[in-house]
Amino acid sequence: MTRLLDLSVVTRHTPSEATPVTVDLLDHRTGATVLGLTPEDFPGGMAISNETVTLTTHTGTHMDAPLHYGPTSGGRPAKSIDQVPLEWCYGPGVRLDVRHVPPGDGITVAHLQDALDAIGHRPAPGDIVLLWTGADALWGTAEYLTTYPGLTGEGTAFLVEAGVRTIGIDAWGLDRPMQSMIEEYRRTGDSAALWPAHIYGRTREYLQLEKVAGLGELPAPTGFTVACFPVAVGGAGAGWTRVVGILDED
């Protein structure tokens, strides 16, 4: 038997989002008048509804495409979200437990190697790696925006150069929180502190899944498949994504 596990957050207005989400509802009665009819013209006295939603492509669980990181990747034009190969969005899932890394700190190559050793796995081409920080427990609060660790540039390179095309995290972003990076940059003057995981995508193409959730519901760190097909927004650097863990159970 196959079980599907939703690994996404609900897209809505919340303190956990850095930008607002607005939903303008055209309800079942008003929907009739837009068509030049009345609700009573429809079976049951109700027409059909609609919604106009205003949000960014980085709202809710979403996928970052190479174009988000810069205009080129590896010397070639960077792919927009509608150009992402579907093969990169479906593959063996690998959950890496990095819950011990303190909020604001970087998830290093050593952290990744320790997590891989703990489950007896080595990253392989086609793997979809999901970083389990536990930060999704804060979803719905403002702390979600600032209280999580992020992947370092070296950690990103370690995974991508092993053939991993898609890296996800159960936090607001793949890099460390914005304030942590900006404070380090202002203290040191080193621009390498700013969004290193994202910037690595200018060297080699890869995808990020941000605001993943529910990784603790997976029964094991491997042995499941991830499906994460983004909405193909033409020319955009990201697209909303329903991330699903696919489990084969007896």
Side-chain angles (χ1 to χ4, degrees):
M1 182 178 69
T2 299
R3 180 162 69 98
L4 303 181
L5 183 62
D6 192 352
L7 302 178
S8 311
V9 299
V10 176
T11 301
R12 59 181 176 86
H13 187 66
T14 168
S16 292
E17 293 288 6
T19 54
V21 179
T22 61
V23 181
D24 296 317
L25 172 65
L26 186 70
D27 64 27
H28 294 92
R29 294 189 63 81
T30 309
T33 63
V34 171
L35 300 171
L37 300 169
T38 69
E40 289 69 28
D41 291 321
F42 285 83
M46 291 186 295
I48 53 178
S49 68
N50 198 0
E51 298 84 28
T52 299
V53 183
T54 304
L55 74 172
T56 76
T57 53
H58 297 268
T59 301
T61 306
H62 65 276
M63 177 182 286
D64 287 349
L67 181 60
H68 176 52
Y69 319 137
T72 62
S73 181
R76 296 183 176 185
K79 290 180 176 63
S80 57
I81 198 67
D82 55 305
Q83 297 171 327
V84 166
L86 295 181
E87 292 78 11
W88 295 5
C89 308
Y90 185 88
V94 180
R95 182 189 66 189
L96 298 184
D97 189 349
V98 290
R99 289 177 293 169
H100 60 287
V101 181
D105 282 9
I107 300 169
T108 65
V109 173
H111 290 136
L112 297 174
Q113 288 177 324
D114 287 346
L116 287 162
D117 289 344
I119 63 174
H121 186 80
R122 284 289 172 266
D127 281 354
I128 296 178
V129 172
L130 304 176
L131 302 177
W132 185 19
T133 72
D136 61 324
L138 298 173
W139 172 253
T141 72
E143 287 76 17
Y144 181 79
L145 296 166
T146 59
T147 310
Y148 59 91
L151 189 61
T152 61
E154 294 81 4
T156 307
F158 170 75
L159 293 173
V160 175
E161 291 169 14
V164 175
R165 288 289 194 180
T166 302
I167 306 170
I169 193 168
D170 60 351
W172 189 82
L174 187 63
D175 277 288
R176 293 185 299 149
M178 285 189 288
Q179 193 59 37
S180 298
M181 293 186 289
I182 292 171
E183 286 176 357
E184 180 180 343
Y185 168 63
R186 288 174 174 165
R187 185 178 69 254
T188 66
D190 185 357
S191 64
L194 299 174
W195 282 267
H198 281 70
I199 299 303
Y200 176 80
R202 299 177 186 177
T203 300
R204 292 197 181 190
E205 292 184 314
Y206 82 102
L207 309 174
Q208 295 179 10
L209 291 171
E210 297 180 321
K211 302 177 193 169
V212 176
L215 297 182
E217 299 300 314
L218 291 165
T222 58
F224 63 97
T225 300
V226 174
C228 52
F229 299 106
V231 174
V233 184
W240 311 286
T241 306
R242 192 72 173 266
V243 181
V244 178
I246 304 170
L247 312 172
D248 290 325
E249 298 180 335
D250 293 333

